[in-house]
Amino acid sequence: MSLYVVSDKEELTKLAYHMILGVIHSKKEVTLGLATGSSPEGIYEMFRKSRPDVSHVTTVNLDEYIGLPADHEQSYAYFMKTQLFDHLNFKETHIPDGMNPDHEAECARYDAILAANVPDLQLLGIGNNGHIAFNEPVTDFELRTHVEELTQDTIDANSRFFETPDEVPTSAYTMGIKSIMEAEQILLIAMGTSKAEAIKAMVEGPVTEAMPASILKNHPNVTVLVDREAASLLEAVQNSSGGCGGGCCGDHHGSDNHSSGGCGSGGGCG
């Protein structure tokens, strides 16, 4: 796990964008695993402005709320459509169908899509409780696509997007951790003090289902990009007068592999 601490959200967004763009340009056929939420919005804005050719790129999304139609403004299908899919010429785009009442059939359908489209790079955020995708604490690391009952912490965190708390969905289809771990490369981004405890637990704590993101330490090619606020509780940051700003705080329980696209001006981890 290669950890980069940068000064702010703007720098993080630029580095993540260039890393993803490097993967897009690296092969004739590319699959990107994409995330939703506030963390990747700046990245998607940069793609809307630059409009690279992505006619050779297939996308697979991590998750979708159960019970929200694709045209609902808070569905992840709508988010991806307005943020990215309506603006770029992707070859194919895939997202779970939140309106499919047959949970077993929908999970099997999406697993088949993932088996045929293993991401060359999977973009992840991290929840305040350490969830990745909608894999909440104590989710089995061996699960593939499944229905996840959302914790109250996650429901509360997402309530800001809805008019009333009662409108927030309580379950979702989500890519399982086993599928996430099959990506060739993983990029996790986190910004702000609200993510500091989760980042500390992921980087410095044990690998445990109580902290879903901790499993990433077992993947051979993970880059973690965080701003100073999200890194503020890390020992490496607290013990460094420079705060590790703008560079790498070292490898954490990972291999020596680094992303093919690098991290741009952020430098490499030795």
Side-chain angles (χ1 to χ4, degrees):
M1 178 180 287
S2 299
L3 172 68
Y4 293 80
V5 180
V6 298
S7 59
D8 54 30
K9 177 180 179 180
E10 289 70 26
E11 184 180 2
L12 186 155
T13 295
K14 290 178 182 177
L15 293 177
Y17 164 78
H18 285 292
M19 185 174 173
I20 297 168
L21 191 64
V23 173
I24 289 173
H25 290 157
S26 68
K27 298 170 63 178
K28 292 183 178 180
E29 296 290 334
V30 173
T31 298
L32 294 179
L34 298 179
T36 52
S38 58
S39 294
E41 283 184 332
I43 300 170
Y44 297 158
E45 182 181 2
M46 291 190 71
F47 274 105
R48 291 197 304 272
K49 290 179 177 178
S50 65
R51 299 179 66 88
D53 177 29
V54 291
S55 59
H56 62 300
V57 178
T58 296
T59 71
V60 290
N61 264 78
L62 288 167
D63 42 30
E64 177 62 285
Y65 288 122
I66 290 176
L68 293 190
D71 61 356
H72 190 288
E73 289 186 358
Q74 297 306 327
S75 74
Y76 289 155
Y78 185 89
F79 176 94
M80 292 305 305
K81 183 174 185 291
T82 56
Q83 289 282 322
L84 202 61
F85 295 161
D86 276 353
H87 306 275
L88 277 74
N89 60 333
F90 288 103
K91 178 181 178 181
E92 295 177 8
T93 61
H94 300 284
I95 192 166
D97 179 4
M99 293 303 291
N100 189 343
D102 189 333
H103 295 172
E104 184 176 352
E106 179 58 19
C107 292
R109 181 191 75 86
Y110 208 63
D111 276 342
I113 290 172
L114 296 175
N117 299 279
V118 176
D120 295 287
L121 182 144
Q122 175 65 60
L123 177 64
L124 296 175
I126 184 171
N128 295 352
N129 61 4
H131 72 234
I132 48 176
F134 268 135
N135 293 285
E136 299 281 28
V138 306
T139 298
D140 189 335
F141 285 157
E142 293 299 309
L143 286 179
R144 293 187 179 275
T145 304
H146 61 282
V147 173
E148 186 79 10
E149 299 299 324
L150 307 183
T151 66
Q152 192 60 48
D153 283 345
T154 298
I155 293 171
D156 291 344
N158 291 342
S159 65
R160 68 187 188 277
F161 300 116
F162 294 83
E163 291 187 7
T164 68
D166 292 340
E167 294 180 9
V168 185
T170 58
S171 60
Y173 289 115
T174 184
M175 189 188 301
I177 289 175
K178 190 173 183 66
S179 298
I180 291 172
M181 292 291 285
E182 289 175 349
E184 293 294 324
Q185 181 179 354
I186 294 173
L187 170 62
L188 184 144
I189 59 174
M191 295 159 278
T193 55
S194 65
K195 302 300 176 74
E197 290 188 4
I199 290 297
K200 179 178 177 63
M202 177 186 73
V203 173
E204 297 177 354
V207 175
T208 169
E209 291 177 350
M211 171 51 58
S214 65
I215 190 63
L216 299 179
K217 288 191 284 192
N218 291 345
H219 191 283
N221 195 356
V222 175
T223 299
V224 178
L225 283 179
V226 295
D227 67 4
R228 287 177 178 170
E229 290 184 345
S232 59
L233 297 180
L234 294 173
E235 289 182 11
V237 173
Q238 293 177 335
N239 294 337
S240 170
S241 60
C244 282
C248 176
C249 289
D251 287 353
H252 295 264
H253 305 282
S255 74
D256 292 329
N257 291 337
H258 302 289
S259 60
S260 61
C263 283
S265 61
C269 291

